[in-house]
Amino acid sequence: MTTQPPGPDVPDRLLHTMLRVVDLERSVAFYRDALGMRELRREDYPDGQFTLVFLGYGDEADNSAIELTYNYGGTNYTHGSGFGHVAVAVADIRAACERLSEMGVTIIRGPGPMMHKPTNGKRDFIAFIEDPDGYRIELISA
Amino acid sequence: MTTQPPGPDVPDRLLHTMLRVVDLERSVAFYRDALGMRELRREDYPDGQFTLVFLGYGDEADNSAIELTYNYGGTNYTHGSGFGHVAVAVADIRAACERLSEMGVTIIRGPGPMMHKPTNGKRDFIAFIEDPDGYRIELISA
């Protein structure tokens, strides 16, 4: 198989990653205040009993976003072993983890270089934190 | 709480969404040939017994990507109920689903408007397909 030439039947942009959350305002506050995202769009679907909130670092026309889905009266969701994490860039990971820790955010893995080195390329400087529903967020040195 | 002012301790860019896959080449072929992404970066970590492949629609400096993690001898992964999907934009969803169907891709939910209408905003025209590991991909009319 070869790379698809662009055409109207071939996707051409990554729009968002969707995560289901139990407490919408708690999650919006986390992505906004802890991760520095802006709330870009909020849509309520009373007929479907759910609300969607899109957050990110820039307009959806040019940037991928996070979509939070809140199902009315949402119960807890399970974490499978397949989905890994969402990664964000931050200039100063140590300072970011200090700030997040003071906010009460769970730091799963403190700032440091990746444990292993790739055969090509550099060893990233990273940290892992947890969002309010336990989704993992990777911080990577910009 | 208020929106974080930008600073070196506040993240400022969405980098990627990471998914673990069982058969790396099968998944790379899917994201490339079915979804039209380019392979942007591949890093092998023999010491850690894993390989990472980054795919997307543009350079990682300006665009979010998908990170596929292949653990050597990878077993099957489970899908929890929390992670929802990754969404991509496509101009002609009906044509895209025809093309994908002919390629043998599983169409979970054929092209059509969203079942429910938001109280504000329009009803998106969407479809859902499955990647080789069963992760859901939403197609949204661009």
Side-chain angles (χ1 to χ4, degrees):
Chain A
M1 291 196 282
T2 56
T3 300
Q4 278 299 321
D9 59 350
V10 180
D12 57 6
R13 210 155 59 80
L14 196 54
L15 295 175
H16 59 252
T17 292
M18 190 277 259
L19 302 173
R20 295 181 184 89
V21 301
V22 173
D23 180 333
L24 185 59
E25 297 316 325
R26 177 181 70 172
S27 292
V28 167
F30 173 85
Y31 284 92
R32 183 190 59 206
D33 303 328
L35 292 190
M37 297 186 186
R38 279 193 297 125
E39 182 175 323
L40 305 166
R41 181 160 54 110
R42 183 181 287 238
E43 292 176 349
D44 189 33
Y45 295 76
D47 293 349
Q49 301 273 290
F50 63 91
T51 304
L52 308 180
V53 176
F54 296 80
L55 298 111
Y57 295 106
D59 287 348
E60 285 181 88
D62 300 311
N63 297 274
S64 297
I66 296 294
E67 175 187 20
L68 302 181
T69 293
Y70 169 68
N71 290 301
Y72 293 4
T75 52
N76 284 302
Y77 298 104
T78 57
H79 294 288
S81 59
F83 168 72
H85 58 259
V86 169
V88 295
V90 64
D92 187 336
I93 289 201
R94 285 198 182 85
C97 284
E98 275 178 34
R99 186 177 65 78
L100 293 165
S101 188
E102 281 165 17
M103 293 176 72
V105 173
T106 303
I107 314 286
I108 301 172
R109 189 270 204 203
M114 278 186 76
M115 187 185 301
H116 302 289
K117 196 182 178 310
T119 50
N120 57 326
K122 65 178 174 59
R123 196 186 296 233
D124 280 337
F125 198 87
I126 64 168
F128 276 97
I129 65 172
E130 225 173 59
D131 96 339
D133 291 270
Y135 296 110
R136 292 189 166 206
I137 310 289
E138 183 179 19
L139 307 180
I140 303 182
S141 223
Chain B
M1 290 195 283
T2 55
T3 301
Q4 277 300 317
D9 59 350
V10 180
D12 58 4
R13 210 153 60 77
L14 194 56
L15 295 175
H16 59 251
T17 292
M18 190 275 260
L19 303 173
R20 295 181 183 88
V21 302
V22 173
D23 180 333
L24 185 59
E25 297 317 324
R26 177 182 70 172
S27 293
V28 168
F30 173 85
Y31 284 91
R32 184 190 59 208
D33 302 327
L35 293 191
M37 296 186 189
R38 280 192 296 123
E39 182 175 324
L40 304 167
R41 183 160 53 111
R42 183 181 287 238
E43 292 176 350
D44 190 33
Y45 294 78
D47 293 349
Q49 301 272 292
F50 63 91
T51 304
L52 308 180
V53 177
F54 295 80
L55 299 110
Y57 295 106
D59 286 348
E60 285 180 88
D62 301 310
N63 297 273
S64 298
I66 297 294
E67 175 187 20
L68 302 181
T69 293
Y70 168 68
N71 290 303
Y72 293 3
T75 53
N76 285 303
Y77 298 104
T78 57
H79 295 288
S81 59
F83 168 72
H85 58 260
V86 168
V88 295
V90 64
D92 187 336
I93 289 202
R94 286 198 181 84
C97 284
E98 275 179 34
R99 186 177 64 79
L100 292 164
S101 188
E102 281 166 16
M103 292 175 76
V105 173
T106 302
I107 314 286
I108 300 171
R109 189 270 203 202
M114 278 185 77
M115 188 185 301
H116 302 290
K117 195 178 178 313
T119 49
N120 57 328
K122 64 179 174 60
R123 196 185 294 233
D124 279 339
F125 198 87
I126 63 169
F128 275 97
I129 65 172
E130 226 173 59
D131 98 337
D133 290 270
Y135 296 110
R136 291 187 168 208
I137 309 289
E138 182 179 20
L139 307 180
I140 304 183
S141 223

